[in-house]
Amino acid sequence: MDSALPCLKKSDGGRPMGEFLQVTEQCSGQSFRCKSGQSVLKAMEQQGLKCVPVGCRGGGCGFCKVTVLSGQYSCGKMSRMHVPPEALAQDQVLACRIYPLTDLIIECRPQQPAARHTNEHTTTKAMR
Amino acid sequence: MKKGVMRPGHVQIRVLDMDEAVKHYSDLLGLIEMDRDDQGRVYLKAWTEVDKFSVVLREADEPGMDFMAFKCLSEEVVDQLRGELAAFGCEIEDVPEGELKDCGRRVRFIAPTGHAFEIFATKKQTGKWGVGNHNPEAWPRGLEGMKATRFDHCLLYGPNLDETLNLFRDVLGFDLAEQVIAPDGKRVAQFLTVSTKAHDIAFIHHEEPGKFHHASFFLETWQDVLKAADLLSMTDTSIDIGPTRHGLTHGQTIYFFDPSGNRNEVFAGGDYHYPDHEPVTWDAEELGKAIFYHDRALNERFLSVLT
Ligand code: FES
Ligand SMILES: [Fe+2]
């Protein structure tokens, strides 16, 4: 499941699989262990924490959006609607699709529901 | 009043990674891969379906639904309804024969909820997979995973439910089978049928247009729903909620996500509807029970996790 693609802007730290990395969520102060190769959201869920909202777990719904404040990671495929290139450039990514390469500090601000509606798009173009 | 629309014909779903998606929809759901085209789209069907395909996967950089199509009795019906859709004020696009492999021309229109729908009348029929229609056996061997029997319906989120009901009821001949009414009298959910099934298409009110909640596939029994849940755990697939029962339609259900975050449902059982039946009405205060009959509470995900 968690097959990480190298993220465009981050270099691969080359850590061996199976190593534990520490992820800290800044707003709640909660911190949890994440195996390299495991998504941040999955590691959080496994340890019973709720500091990031859990949606589809597939990079599609944007529910688990976080900002990475420090550390290196690789990313899997994420919906461009929720992570356009500008957001990725600012390390605004989806916790279900990032895989730590070093210890990470992330921040998950509670989303205003209205904010999700501003990004309107139509699905009628280029659908073939 | 029936207008010659028969049933859901196909749904085209956007996925982030085609290989992962095909694995999900074929190995786990048990759909059968029928074809691929030069755009890289993959065509699948469930085994009891007579037409060649009912699910089309397209790789894209955001997941969701491209369109859902309904099959009509004849090309004359499609012509007739095309005129009525235009008169209703729908934006219409004519999609030529062969744009989807082995499918005739389609008339695409945008519903007031922002979703693209299509009507068509012609698609190659390959027969029920593995059994055919001549002295057929009960079921074919060699089915995978959940062994889904048919693509059943979609639930979509968007605005303008009243206009959308008018369109589906008055132009396309659907009936309102079930609804959820808010205290101010506003309809916030509508389940529509063009058959005797509890729903062929359902809508829930949402400010943002064109959102996809789930595509649903029919299983025979509650035991099959439990086994589907087993398979989701075996494959570490993201589960939304279930196994449980819906209040609305009373189907036995489980919701889960494909690898791109699109929600799927498999379900069994449920109510039926005839055109002389009054719609079943749920009060919005009972929405928790209407959606999840046992939990009697909505999870936040049901209302806001969409693609
Ligand atoms: S939970 Fe849906 S994008 Fe992460
Ligand atoms: Fe459903």
Side-chain angles (χ1 to χ4, degrees):
Chain A
M1 285 276 113
D2 293 350
S3 57
L5 299 175
C7 183
L8 292 174
K9 64 183 292 291
K10 298 279 175 181
S11 63
D12 190 308
R15 295 272 189 145
M17 295 291 285
E19 185 178 342
F20 281 105
L21 300 158
Q22 197 73 16
V23 179
T24 305
E25 196 285 310
Q26 172 130 305
C27 293
S28 61
Q30 288 179 340
S31 136
F32 50 94
R33 282 170 298 119
C34 185
K35 260 187 253 169
S36 68
Q38 185 177 43
S39 81
V40 165
L41 195 72
K42 182 156 194 175
M44 180 203 80
E45 278 196 276
Q46 274 189 348
Q47 284 158 73
L49 301 179
K50 298 198 161 92
C51 49
V52 180
V54 178
C56 66
R57 308 180 183 91
C61 71
F63 220 49
C64 65
K65 193 167 228 184
V66 296
T67 304
V68 179
L69 301 176
S70 80
Q72 305 225 321
Y73 56 94
S74 61
C75 343
K77 289 187 178 172
M78 300 180 279
S79 170
R80 192 184 163 91
M81 183 197 170
H82 296 293
V83 187
E86 316 85 79
L88 187 59
Q90 292 170 45
D91 295 302
Q92 291 167 5
V93 289
L94 302 172
C96 65
R97 284 297 207 216
I98 61 167
Y99 311 91
L101 299 169
T102 65
D103 290 351
L104 295 182
I105 299 175
I106 62 172
E107 179 185 65
C108 179
R109 291 191 176 276
Q111 286 191 43
Q112 293 102 4
R116 291 191 212 129
H117 298 153
T118 55
N119 198 1
E120 280 193 13
H121 74 138
T122 64
T123 56
T124 61
K125 300 241 158 42
M127 57 183 51
R128 294 190 211 157
Chain B
M1 188 188 68
K2 293 283 187 280
K3 301 285 286 287
V5 178
M6 285 193 292
R7 61 168 179 269
H10 54 253
V11 60
Q12 181 164 307
I13 298 171
R14 296 187 300 272
V15 298
L16 296 173
D17 183 289
M18 186 57 82
D19 292 342
E20 282 182 10
V22 169
K23 207 163 167 321
H24 174 90
Y25 285 95
S26 56
D27 295 359
L28 182 57
L29 266 125
L31 302 183
I32 297 129
E33 183 177 330
M34 298 298 291
D35 213 340
R36 295 189 179 222
D37 66 21
D38 49 18
Q39 296 170 46
R41 291 182 298 187
V42 176
Y43 298 59
L44 306 113
K45 74 183 269 179
W47 74 268
T48 69
E49 291 166 351
V50 172
D51 283 355
K52 181 176 166 181
F53 62 88
S54 59
V55 173
V56 180
L57 303 176
R58 178 172 76 88
E59 193 170 89
D61 57 18
E62 64 183 74
M65 184 188 84
D66 277 338
F67 50 79
M68 178 183 179
F70 296 95
K71 193 176 191 191
C72 301
L73 280 168
S74 67
E75 294 293 342
E76 291 70 42
V77 167
V78 175
D79 283 330
Q80 170 70 27
L81 294 178
R82 188 192 185 288
E84 293 186 36
L85 287 165
F88 186 86
C90 287
E91 188 188 319
I92 288 181
E93 185 188 349
D94 290 296
V95 183
E97 175 186 355
E99 193 281 321
L100 279 170
K101 253 184 172 175
D102 290 318
C103 186
R105 58 101 183 223
R106 292 124 64 203
V107 171
R108 184 178 294 163
F109 60 96
I110 309 299
T113 52
H115 299 92
F117 290 98
E118 298 177 345
I119 50 173
F120 71 100
T122 308
K123 189 185 283 178
K124 183 174 180 182
Q125 298 202 314
T126 53
K128 294 191 183 189
W129 185 83
V131 292
N133 63 0
H134 188 213
N135 303 328
E137 301 297 350
W139 39 266
R141 296 188 184 204
L143 292 170
E144 296 289 333
M146 299 176 188
K147 303 177 167 64
T149 66
R150 67 164 185 255
F151 163 52
D152 190 87
H153 64 269
C154 288
L155 171 58
L156 306 175
Y157 275 40
N160 307 318
L161 291 198
D162 286 342
E163 295 85 335
T164 302
L165 174 60
N166 293 343
L167 170 69
F168 275 81
R169 185 184 52 202
D170 303 341
V171 178
L172 299 173
F174 286 65
D175 286 318
L176 178 62
E178 300 212 19
Q179 58 183 347
V180 179
I181 302 288
D184 63 2
K186 191 170 166 321
R187 199 177 330 92
V188 293
Q190 55 197 25
F191 285 51
L192 311 178
T193 181
V194 74
S195 60
T196 54
K197 287 160 53 197
H199 48 352
D200 288 305
I201 179 73
F203 297 97
I204 288 185
H205 173 80
H206 187 67
E207 290 304 325
E208 188 181 3
K211 300 304 284 183
F212 179 56
H213 190 273
H214 68 264
S216 182
F217 299 87
F218 190 72
L219 302 180
E220 271 180 65
T221 66
W222 171 232
Q223 182 68 21
D224 293 330
V225 177
L226 296 183
K227 288 208 165 178
D230 294 341
L231 285 161
L232 292 168
S233 285
M234 285 181 205
T235 52
D236 197 24
T237 301
S238 174
I239 292 182
D240 184 7
I241 194 164
T244 182
R245 184 192 284 279
H246 290 307
L248 281 148
T249 77
H250 295 131
Q252 301 140 20
T253 178
I254 184 164
Y255 283 146
F256 52 100
F257 295 97
D258 79 6
S260 309
N262 295 304
R263 193 185 276 93
N264 296 154
E265 172 184 43
V266 291
F267 79 106
D271 300 330
Y272 60 86
H273 181 89
Y274 280 99
D276 63 331
H277 292 179
E278 285 291 319
V280 171
T281 300
W282 288 83
D283 298 328
E285 298 92 319
E286 293 290 326
L287 191 59
K289 187 172 171 183
I291 306 289
F292 302 123
Y293 190 66
H294 301 147
D295 279 16
R296 282 166 272 154
L298 278 185
N299 63 0
E300 159 79 355
R301 274 209 291 271
F302 182 86
L303 288 177
S304 37
V305 172
L306 305 166
T307 55

